[in-house]
């Protein structure tokens, strides 16, 4: 993920290089480029690509030079680079206060590989069926609470669903005290981290708990007490081998030296799965509904297909949603060795960033790229570097099967107003500005 602006102690030791050797890009001063990147991410990215082409350099506060790559033919060297030479963990370092230093998202090299191997088995595609019942029952319970005939924003509703899915399927919490205590704390943490001011290192001042950063530190401390309690209980649970949730599998997992993850590692990975899996999936779902509801013919075709017992169209709808509205628009790697990308030799020290948003909107790959046309994916499989909402290489999203499985939830909704939401940046993810307002019609169709 590209979580710029970011900073890292290692960044200070970056090799010096000659900026004249970098691909050309906007000349505006760095603060102006950073502001545009933060406040008008989508239109700015497209304007830069129109002006500078498939490979261009932008300059962002704290992150420094970031070479944006928008041609899928140039991505292989980036995604296949040696993990020590192209580091994603370093590029994500702004998330460290929330996730902790042992998070898969923040690690690089051997430690990253060790964590990834321990985390992969619970997220294997085949295991998803086990979570199907949990996801369906949480969705039903949420929908029963929706008002009928009165508009309401869909994204918060999707956030409630995806949060509960993670707390139950990943943490293994079912109705009870720990679930009730953790839910509001996570919501609060997510809300605070969405506030850009709270997360930018320059503004991290506690001010006796009154500043956004101060509130964040206090809430994180309360969440940590609870997370440690949950982990310790699971580690000593005599029935852990019979449990289906991800945490129970992680507690039992052993690396190649026979070592288990310690409590701190488990805490950081739980927080990672929560934050990486909850907002992203909820936002994709909200976009999916908005696109379907604004394209009634697509919605009808989908409902007919589902009634006929086919899942081909829902998968195409999900793929097209994630193409046209990728919630993570850019992923990034910090180079520690020179890398050849097309005709450019990019020096150690720069950030190289496959730009998902721009690749997904290339008209040579996707004719009329701004149109929502799930048919594109009905007959043809996209090449992996042409459709990459989950990133790529050894850092590709661990929860991709989980997210897609969860998104196969379809409801019968009507848009409260028929206008498309603008894309707004909420820290890392790109969200619908007004939350996708919908009105529920009866009867519900699952
Ligand atoms: C629509 C939903 C989701 C989207 C769009 C998404 C997207 C991404 C992206 C773009 C990355 C970075 C890949 C890269 O740097 O190349 C990533 C990494 C990751 N995601 Fe997801 N994600 C989603 C859902 C989930 C879910 C449900 C989980 C788990 C419950 C999850 C867990 C992770 C983890 C652990 C990583 C770090 C992988 C690594 O560094 O090795 N994600 N995701």
């Amino acid at each position: 993920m590209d979580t710029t602006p970011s900073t890292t102690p290692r960044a200070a030791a970056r090799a010096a290089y000659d900026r004249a050797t970098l691909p050309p890009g906007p000349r505006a001063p760095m603060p102006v480029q950073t502001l545009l990147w933060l406040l008008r991410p989508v239109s700015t990215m497209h304007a830069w690509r129109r002006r500078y082409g498939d490979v261009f350099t932008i300059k962002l506060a704290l992150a420094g030079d970031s070479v944006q790559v928008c041609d899928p033919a140039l991505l292989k060297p980036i995604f296949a680079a040696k993990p020590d030479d192209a580091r994603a963990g370093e590029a994500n370092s702004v998330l460290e206060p929330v996730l902790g230093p042992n998070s898969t998202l923040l690690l690089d090299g051997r430690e990253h590989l060790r964590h990834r191997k321990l985390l992969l088995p619970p997220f294997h595609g085949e295991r998803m069926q086990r979570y199907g019942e949990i996801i369906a029952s949480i969705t039903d319970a949420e929908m029963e609470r929706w008002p009928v005939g009165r508009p309401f924003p869909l994204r918060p509703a999707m956030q409630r669903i995806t949060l509960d899915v993670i707390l139950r399927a990943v943490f293994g919490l079912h109705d009870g005290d720990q679930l009730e205590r953790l839910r509001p704390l996570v919501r609060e943490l997510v809300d605070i981290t969405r506030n850009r001011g709270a997360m930018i290192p320059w503004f991290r001042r506690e001010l006796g708990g009154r500043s956004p950063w101060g509130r964040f530190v206090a809430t994180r401390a309360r969440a940590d007490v609870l997370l440690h309690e949950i982990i310790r209980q699971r580690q000593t649970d005599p029935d852990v081998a019979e449990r289906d949730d991800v945490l129970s599998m992680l507690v039992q997992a052993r690396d190649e030296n026979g070592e288990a993850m310690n409590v701190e590692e488990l805490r950081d990975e739980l927080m990672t799965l929560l934050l990486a899996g909850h907002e992203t999936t909820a936002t994709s779902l909200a976009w999916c509904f908005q696109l379907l509801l604004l394209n009634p013919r697509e919605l009808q075709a989908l409902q007919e297909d589902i009634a006929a017992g086919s899942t081909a169209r829902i998968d195409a709808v999900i793929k097209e949603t994630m193409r046209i509205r990728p919630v993570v628009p850019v992923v990034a790697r910090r180079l520690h060795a020179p890398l050849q990308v097309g005709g450019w030799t990019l020096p150690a020290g720069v950030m190289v960033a496959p730009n998902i948003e721009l690749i997904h909107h290339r008209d040579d790959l996707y004719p009329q790229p701004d149109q929502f046309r799930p048919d594109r994916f009905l007959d043809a499989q996209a090449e992996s570097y042409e459709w990459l909402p989950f990133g790529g290489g050894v850092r590709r999203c661990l929860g991709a099967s989980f997210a897609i499985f969860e998104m196969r939830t379809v409801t019968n909704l009507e848009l409260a107003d028929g206008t498309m939401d603008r894309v707004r940046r909420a820290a890392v993810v790109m969200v619908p500005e007004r939350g996708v307002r919908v009105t529920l019609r009866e009867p519900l169709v699952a």
Side-chain angles (χ1 to χ4, degrees):
M1 285 188 210
D2 170 43
T3 51
T4 43
S6 74
T7 190
T8 152
R10 279 166 291 185
R14 253 177 259 157
Y17 49 81
D18 180 3
R19 294 202 71 236
T21 64
L22 297 179
R27 298 226 188 96
M30 179 268 285
V32 175
Q33 293 190 39
T34 307
L35 273 181
L36 287 167
W37 181 256
L38 290 174
L39 301 178
R40 298 211 161 265
V42 174
S43 55
T44 301
M45 277 188 245
H46 284 274
W48 283 338
R49 183 190 172 223
R50 278 195 298 277
R51 175 116 198 239
Y52 300 102
D54 285 341
V55 185
F56 59 89
T57 306
I58 60 176
K59 196 166 171 52
L60 300 172
L62 301 169
D65 292 311
S66 178
V67 179
Q68 305 291 304
V69 182
C70 320
D71 180 352
L74 303 181
L75 296 189
K76 193 160 178 208
I78 303 171
F79 284 133
K82 285 198 211 132
D84 273 334
D85 292 350
R87 302 188 187 178
E90 231 177 280
N92 292 333
S93 63
V94 74
L95 299 171
E96 181 164 337
V98 199
L99 304 182
N102 309 290
S103 157
T104 300
L105 263 168
L106 302 182
L107 294 170
D108 280 307
R110 279 168 56 157
E111 263 312 290
H112 167 257
L113 227 57
R114 171 176 174 265
H115 275 241
R116 199 169 159 99
K117 278 190 189 154
L118 290 166
L119 280 172
L120 268 173
F123 287 100
H124 198 272
E126 281 166 18
R127 282 190 53 85
M128 294 307 118
Q129 301 303 331
R130 304 185 189 202
Y131 304 130
E133 235 173 77
I134 296 180
I135 296 171
S137 75
I138 291 171
T139 308
D140 282 351
E142 170 63 33
M143 280 165 55
E144 270 166 28
R145 289 201 293 267
W146 290 354
V148 176
R150 184 161 57 77
F152 66 98
L154 197 57
R155 197 168 84 94
M158 293 298 131
Q159 285 171 310
R160 286 191 291 274
I161 293 177
T162 59
L163 175 57
D164 266 28
V165 166
I166 298 226
L167 292 178
R168 286 172 205 235
V170 175
F171 285 48
L173 302 179
H174 294 281
D175 295 321
D177 171 58
Q178 286 174 332
L179 182 69
E180 299 308 326
R181 279 156 62 206
L182 192 54
R183 198 188 277 130
L185 288 176
V186 173
R187 284 205 191 124
E188 216 177 308
L189 274 181
V190 171
D191 280 351
I192 306 172
T193 51
R194 219 181 279 140
N195 175 341
R196 294 169 208 143
M199 289 295 111
I200 292 177
W202 298 324
F203 303 133
R204 290 178 190 163
R205 302 275 181 274
E206 288 202 31
L207 303 178
R210 286 188 310 277
S211 66
W213 175 251
R215 276 195 302 127
F216 164 75
V217 171
T219 311
R220 181 184 59 186
R222 283 190 292 147
D224 278 353
V225 170
L226 195 47
L227 289 175
H228 282 100
E229 177 188 309
I230 294 167
I231 293 166
R232 290 238 157 72
Q233 274 175 6
R234 205 60 54 80
Q235 284 175 319
T236 51
D237 182 345
D239 298 325
V240 72
E242 273 90 69
R243 297 181 62 121
D244 253 353
D245 56 88
V246 174
L247 174 58
S248 296
M249 287 187 73
L250 291 182
V251 162
Q252 297 171 80
R254 298 290 178 269
D255 63 18
E256 48 203 24
N257 299 320
E259 304 269 336
M261 280 196 215
N262 63 35
V263 175
E264 286 312 319
E265 288 175 312
L266 286 164
R267 178 269 173 215
D268 292 358
E269 293 301 15
L270 283 184
M271 201 56 121
T272 301
L273 297 173
L274 249 181
L275 293 192
H278 149 234
E279 277 271 274
T280 45
T281 315
T283 308
S284 269
L285 274 165
W287 282 124
C288 181
F289 284 119
Q290 178 155 70
L291 289 160
L292 277 172
L293 296 164
L294 284 172
N295 293 276
R297 277 215 303 241
E298 294 297 343
L299 179 59
Q300 193 185 346
L302 176 63
Q303 286 177 336
E304 283 168 9
D305 239 46
I306 290 171
S310 159
T311 55
R313 192 168 280 274
I314 184 63
D315 287 346
V317 163
I318 291 169
K319 278 196 166 159
E320 177 67 344
T321 301
M322 298 184 90
R323 178 194 72 78
I324 203 165
R325 289 282 182 273
V327 294
V328 180
V330 181
V331 290
R333 311 287 185 255
R334 171 82 68 195
L335 294 187
H336 278 249
L339 187 74
Q340 192 69 31
V341 175
W344 300 97
T345 306
L346 304 181
V350 295
M351 201 84 100
V352 58
N355 192 307
I356 301 172
E357 164 73 24
L358 294 178
I359 291 171
H360 283 188
H361 285 84
R362 288 179 69 107
D363 53 12
D364 55 343
L365 301 177
Y366 302 104
Q368 297 172 307
D370 295 326
Q371 283 186 16
F372 178 65
R373 287 176 28 200
D375 284 14
R376 302 179 204 271
F377 293 106
L378 268 184
D379 310 317
Q381 284 291 330
E383 295 297 322
S384 58
Y385 295 142
E386 294 176 2
W387 184 81
L388 60 162
F390 294 110
V394 72
R395 310 299 301 225
R396 186 175 186 267
C397 175
L398 269 164
S401 303
F402 191 97
I404 288 186
F405 186 78
E406 194 172 352
M407 287 178 66
R408 286 197 184 128
T409 315
V410 183
T411 53
N412 186 20
L413 300 168
E414 191 176 32
L415 262 192
D417 63 44
T419 49
M420 181 58 122
D421 277 19
R422 276 173 31 152
V423 183
R424 184 175 61 77
R425 185 191 281 277
V428 181
V429 297
M430 295 292 160
V431 305
E433 191 164 48
R434 291 166 303 135
V436 182
R437 295 183 66 74
V438 297
T439 308
L440 183 63
R441 274 186 311 196
E442 287 190 283
L444 298 177
V445 179

